[in-house]
Amino acid sequence: MNGYWNKVLHVSLGDRRTWIEEPGEAFFRRLGGGRGVIAHYLLRHVPKGADPLGPDNVLVFAPGVLTGAPVPGAGRHSVGARSPLTGAFGESESGGYWGAELKRAGWDALVVHGAASAPVYLWINDGAVELRDATPLWGKPTGEAEEAILAELGDPRVRVAQIGPAGERLVRFACIVNDLNEVAGRTGMGAVMGSKKLKAVAVRGHGAVRIADPPGLLALAKWVASTLDEKHRAYHELGTGSAMQGKNLEGGMPVLNHRLGAADTVARVDAVAVRAEVRVKMTSCYACSVRCKKVVHVEREAAAARAAEEAVYKGRTRVAVDPRGRYRVDPRHGGPEYESLAALGVNLGLDDLVAICKANELCNALGMDTISLGATLAWAMECFEKGLLTLDDTGGVPLRFHDADAVVRLVELVARREGVGDLLAEGSQRAARKIGRGSEAFLTTVKGLEMAMHDPRHMPIMRASYLLAPTGGDHMRQTGNRNGLRNQVGLCHFLAYDDDQTLAILRAVTGWDLTAEELVQTAHRGLTLARLFNLREGLTRADDRLPARFGEPLPKHAGLSREQQEQIVTDYYVEQGWDAATGVPTADTLRALGIEADAAAAV
Ligand code: SF4
């Protein structure tokens, strides 16, 4: 066995049982990991119509066969469950080190069943598995909770995936934070974890993932390092968000709830501004030489900044000072990626970089998805602007675009479900249904998931992704073979490997005589399994649709007609081997993908 251990850990929280499943080589070769593995377990273990926040939902942590291999990009894992935000297939991916640590501990996946009666955390120390009391951790933000767990376990190299107070309070877009600065952000997996009263999963692995062809893999890792200038320089220097000014010039920036395509303040809050104003370093995920992750550090006053420079950075780095003395931004929580700069910044009309960094830090400390939170705030602000939400509705809190300090305050209100935060913690689609008054017209959701910050009117390549991702308004284009496959095997989408190199990496790690066609099938299999789950839960073609906002034109881009959308959907159904009218996978497709048993479980 190379690239996998043939060991899936099941944990039943209600009766504190654990068991090991050994699903066999064919399972890992056919599914790869990630979405495929998640869909497999959701179809089998989650009863149709189960409450996403009830004990019948299962929470699956699924690295892939590449996760933990010593090659750049192989630090990803996925988390999945029935989504409390959408009711559909829920899944989100994260980078960092946690997924690789789980593999190093000897596990290919973790499936969490049931719910605990009091807060617990799971401690996985290689093959030893233990549930521990998390009552003292409940209510703590992620930084404090991680400190307490590492102190209790007495090992600073333990990796922790956890929820913050937002997950505990079942905020429907709560995320799972690992390594304090990486998140499985989308579709509310943190709320599922909170409903199970599972505060954290702490992992320590002392092994190494077995590799079939170490020299072959090393050559590919060296290719990334030796072509850094040519292939990854922009990511290495600036991370995501370096192209915001270009997007703005093209009229494709989300601004004021996707109504405008540009703002003249973008240069104050893009990745170039982050580097100039608040960044102290770049870091990486497991085994990755690209190092595209920003770390920002802001102190409230100059003396604290100087002390931090001396103590932490040994005087080699300038720590920023908030010019208005309001916010400290903790570097343990990394820094804002493009999605956060846009969702918590430009789309809310903000040009206050320190406040945006603070809102981003709070999202990682309290455990919320910046995209869904930002889009929900944008929807609420437009409603407030148009008088559909009033001060009576919001408990006296004004919801105005351009108000940076209010956004920082709202992050905390939502995470703790206080005041108007309780309404917004439901996500924009549920909140719109609750207040009515025509507010649905300002939603930017697909299947209930707030769309990411790439406007499909500006970027044709995003249209199929938003329309057809099983999770809803997802921008990662995992509906395509390339990204769909990477999602499953645990490979970062930012690495410039071409398809031949991806195939070579998979062969080097697993030793399987894989073909390009087999990899395409793996991606199709994962997407079709997720489709089966959604169909079972009552989703139909009518859910493969963009919200009304994207039928409206931008100053530089036309709106997308219903006919355009229908054509994209039909073409995709046909490409996947699903019925052209309904999107139901055909019997021939189920047979070709070898998933008839999963389809039977979906009934
Ligand atoms: S490219 Fe960036 S996000 Fe991807 S694995 Fe490397 S450091 Fe992580």
Side-chain angles (χ1 to χ4, degrees):
M1 288 178 292
N2 296 297
Y4 70 102
W5 304 101
N6 195 26
K7 284 205 172 0
V8 174
L9 175 62
H10 290 260
V11 176
S12 172
L13 294 173
D15 53 6
R16 301 175 78 93
R17 263 186 324 121
T18 64
W19 65 97
I20 298 169
E21 179 190 356
E22 298 184 350
E25 179 179 7
F27 177 89
F28 294 100
R29 184 159 176 167
R30 290 170 66 253
L31 297 175
R35 174 185 298 139
V37 165
I38 289 166
H40 170 86
Y41 286 113
L42 296 196
L43 285 166
R44 278 173 170 72
H45 291 283
V46 180
K48 183 177 176 179
D51 177 359
L53 297 176
D56 284 343
N57 204 358
V58 299
L59 184 65
V60 184
F61 293 81
V65 290
L66 293 188
T67 311
V71 67
R76 310 282 301 173
H77 70 274
S78 298
V79 189
R82 186 175 186 210
S83 167
L85 187 62
T86 68
F89 183 74
E91 187 216 321
S92 192
E93 305 86 52
S94 183
Y97 292 80
W98 186 89
E101 197 74 18
L102 186 70
K103 285 287 290 285
R104 289 166 60 86
W107 302 103
D108 298 303
L110 164 65
V111 185
V112 182
H113 307 254
S117 54
V120 291
Y121 79 91
L122 184 64
W123 167 220
I124 300 172
N125 188 12
D126 291 325
V129 179
E130 188 187 345
L131 281 168
R132 298 176 78 115
D133 180 23
T135 309
L137 304 175
W138 208 247
K140 286 195 190 304
T142 55
E144 277 180 51
E146 180 161 310
E147 267 175 25
I149 290 170
L150 298 191
E152 180 171 304
L153 299 176
D155 182 350
R157 300 189 69 180
V158 168
R159 298 286 175 183
V160 178
Q162 59 169 316
I163 55 170
E168 297 168 13
R169 288 171 175 78
L170 310 181
V171 173
R172 287 185 188 268
F173 45 82
C175 66
I176 298 175
V177 182
N178 59 277
D179 306 300
L180 297 184
N181 64 346
E182 299 286 334
V183 299
R186 313 251 47 210
T187 69
M189 295 299 97
V192 176
M193 197 157 157
S195 74
K196 296 185 177 306
K197 290 210 163 40
L198 179 62
K199 176 70 175 175
V201 182
V203 185
R204 181 76 171 99
H206 297 83
V209 173
R210 278 200 291 262
I211 306 299
D213 175 15
L217 195 65
L218 182 63
L220 286 150
K222 282 185 173 166
W223 174 84
V224 176
S226 65
T227 58
L228 189 75
D229 276 342
E230 192 190 327
K231 302 285 185 187
H232 299 102
R233 176 55 69 185
Y235 278 127
H236 180 70
E237 290 291 336
L238 293 159
T240 57
S242 62
M244 285 170 71
Q245 293 186 49
K247 198 189 261 286
N248 202 53
L249 281 173
E250 290 170 9
M253 259 326 278
V255 179
L256 306 187
N257 200 27
H258 289 267
R259 279 180 291 174
L260 309 176
D264 56 13
T265 53
V266 162
R268 289 184 213 151
V269 297
D270 69 352
V272 180
V274 169
R275 178 174 64 178
E277 305 289 332
V278 290
R279 200 179 87 191
V280 287
K281 62 176 178 175
M282 298 293 272
T283 58
S284 75
C285 304
Y286 173 82
C288 189
S289 49
V290 175
R291 298 181 69 81
C292 80
K293 315 296 293 188
K294 307 174 189 77
V295 178
V296 304
H297 188 165
V298 181
E299 292 287 350
R300 282 195 195 86
E301 19 124 337
R306 272 197 301 278
E309 282 163 21
E310 282 311 311
V312 185
Y313 307 105
K314 311 275 190 282
R316 285 178 285 124
T317 290
R318 184 179 58 84
V319 173
V321 179
D322 179 0
R324 291 169 56 199
R326 301 159 300 169
Y327 303 122
R328 174 177 193 272
V329 182
D330 186 340
R332 290 183 302 175
H333 295 297
E337 301 299 340
Y338 165 72
E339 295 298 332
S340 307
L341 292 168
L344 296 173
V346 187
N347 200 32
L348 302 181
L350 305 192
D351 62 356
D352 181 334
L353 188 57
V354 171
I356 294 168
C357 289
K358 183 65 190 175
N360 178 72
E361 177 232 65
L362 283 172
C363 281
N364 286 357
L366 303 174
M368 283 189 297
D369 175 28
T370 57
I371 299 174
S372 279
L373 173 67
T376 299
L377 293 180
W379 164 84
M381 288 173 178
E382 186 170 351
C383 290
F384 192 81
E385 180 188 277
K386 293 195 158 66
L388 306 182
L389 269 175
T390 65
L391 288 173
D392 282 346
D393 298 311
T394 67
V397 179
L399 297 172
R400 296 204 178 91
F401 289 110
H402 309 292
D403 187 344
D405 293 330
V407 169
V408 174
R409 177 82 189 110
L410 282 161
V411 175
E412 299 204 59
L413 291 178
V414 175
R416 301 188 193 286
R417 282 187 176 270
E418 288 171 12
V420 68
D422 194 35
L423 172 73
L424 302 179
E426 291 294 289
S428 53
Q429 186 164 290
R430 274 187 178 73
R433 283 191 189 136
K434 189 157 183 194
I435 68 162
R437 306 170 200 165
S439 62
E440 291 90 346
F442 315 133
L443 287 172
T444 59
T445 52
V446 181
K447 300 180 179 63
L449 181 70
E450 289 78 12
M451 289 162 66
M453 297 294 119
H454 301 273
D455 198 303
R457 291 166 291 188
H458 165 238
M459 297 179 73
I461 200 164
M462 288 293 164
R463 293 172 190 168
S465 184
Y466 288 129
L467 284 164
L468 290 148
T471 44
D474 189 320
H475 66 295
M476 292 306 285
R477 290 186 282 134
Q478 294 175 11
T479 40
N481 297 333
R482 178 180 178 275
N483 286 8
L485 177 75
R486 288 187 178 204
N487 161 294
Q488 287 174 238
V489 298
L491 188 61
C492 177
H493 296 202
F494 296 160
L495 268 296
Y497 301 124
D498 63 22
D499 291 347
D500 289 343
Q501 287 171 308
T502 303
L503 178 60
I505 292 170
L506 275 157
R507 282 176 164 173
V509 171
T510 63
W512 295 327
D513 57 344
L514 293 159
T515 62
E517 293 71 37
E518 198 175 337
L519 298 190
V520 169
Q521 261 211 337
T522 302
H524 280 199
R525 192 174 286 118
L527 288 161
T528 302
L529 288 170
R531 180 81 184 174
L532 288 171
F533 183 84
N534 279 346
L535 292 167
R536 188 190 83 167
E537 298 305 329
L539 277 77
T540 68
R541 182 180 181 121
D543 296 292
D544 296 337
R545 213 172 261 177
L546 298 177
R549 167 73 10 118
F550 297 90
E552 300 164 9
L554 283 168
K556 289 190 179 174
H557 301 280
L560 299 169
S561 69
R562 184 55 53 81
E563 292 71 32
Q564 273 175 293
Q565 297 178 41
E566 293 296 341
Q567 192 60 54
I568 293 167
V569 169
T570 300
D571 290 350
Y572 184 77
Y573 286 176
V574 171
E575 183 195 314
Q576 289 291 323
W578 302 346
D579 180 86
T582 62
V584 174
T586 65
D588 283 348
T589 297
L590 298 178
R591 202 173 311 114
L593 295 175
I595 53 173
E596 297 105 316
D598 297 276
V603 176

